[in-house]
């Protein structure tokens, strides 16, 4: 845990979050600024800076995030979802604790740039 990491503080319960699902090593909570009808973040409880670092360090934990995303989408979006990992500031990453954006619940456009 890093005390200056917002998402570590959410995991620790120091910052409130609207948690929608949990697994053994991961957490899913609603994005504070939703961009779609369903917009949930899936994060590991353990701190990893981005998805590439997580994949290198612990691929099973990355798989657990995908599984949790699928569970949330199954409950809230008929099992259909987009999973986005912004990686690096140029790609739009602003919180450097890996998180997957689970988007769905509506028809999604495609204009990533
Ligand atoms: P990114 O820009 O890909 O790093 O995504 C960070 C996301 O975290 C953004 O979509 C923010 O709206 C979201 N966010 C920031 N602070 C909070 C918070 N306290 N609770 C929930 N989501 C947050």
């Amino acid at each position: 845990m890093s005390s200056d990491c917002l998402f570590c503080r959410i995991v620790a319960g120091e910052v409130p979050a609207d948690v929608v699902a949990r697994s053994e090593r991961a957490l899913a909570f609603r994005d504070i600024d939703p961009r779609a009808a369903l917009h949930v973040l899936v994060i590991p409880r353990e701190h990893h800076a981005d998805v590439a670092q997580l994949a290198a360090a612990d691929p099973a934990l990355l798989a657990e995030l995908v599984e949790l995303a699928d569970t949330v989408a199954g409950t809230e979006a008929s099992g259909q979802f987009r999973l986005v990992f912004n990686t690096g500031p140029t790609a739009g990453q602003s919180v450097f604790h890996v998180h997957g954006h689970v988007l769905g619940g509506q028809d999604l456009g495609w204009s990533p740039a």
Side-chain angles (χ1 to χ4, degrees):
M1 146 127 194
S2 164
S3 58
D4 58 0
C5 168
L6 173 63
F7 288 176
C8 282
R9 295 186 69 208
I10 285 177
V11 170
E14 294 171 9
V15 171
D18 186 358
V19 175
V20 296
R22 299 168 195 275
S23 64
E24 189 184 339
R25 295 202 289 159
L27 198 63
F29 56 90
R30 293 194 196 284
D31 196 291
I32 204 167
D33 181 20
R35 304 300 177 93
L38 171 66
H39 189 172
V40 163
L41 303 177
V42 287
I43 69 167
R45 294 169 196 266
E46 206 175 274
H47 185 90
H48 295 271
D50 62 38
V51 69
Q53 291 187 25
L54 174 60
D58 194 340
L61 185 51
L62 176 56
E64 189 170 325
L65 288 191
V66 176
E67 197 177 328
L68 190 58
D70 187 48
T71 297
V72 170
T75 306
E76 302 204 18
S78 310
Q80 300 180 56
F81 63 101
R82 181 175 294 161
L83 184 56
V84 175
F85 291 90
N86 295 328
T87 306
T90 306
Q93 186 176 8
S94 62
V95 178
F96 293 87
H97 178 132
V98 58
H99 51 282
H101 295 259
V102 185
L103 302 161
Q106 62 177 79
D107 288 339
L108 295 173
W110 180 245
S111 54

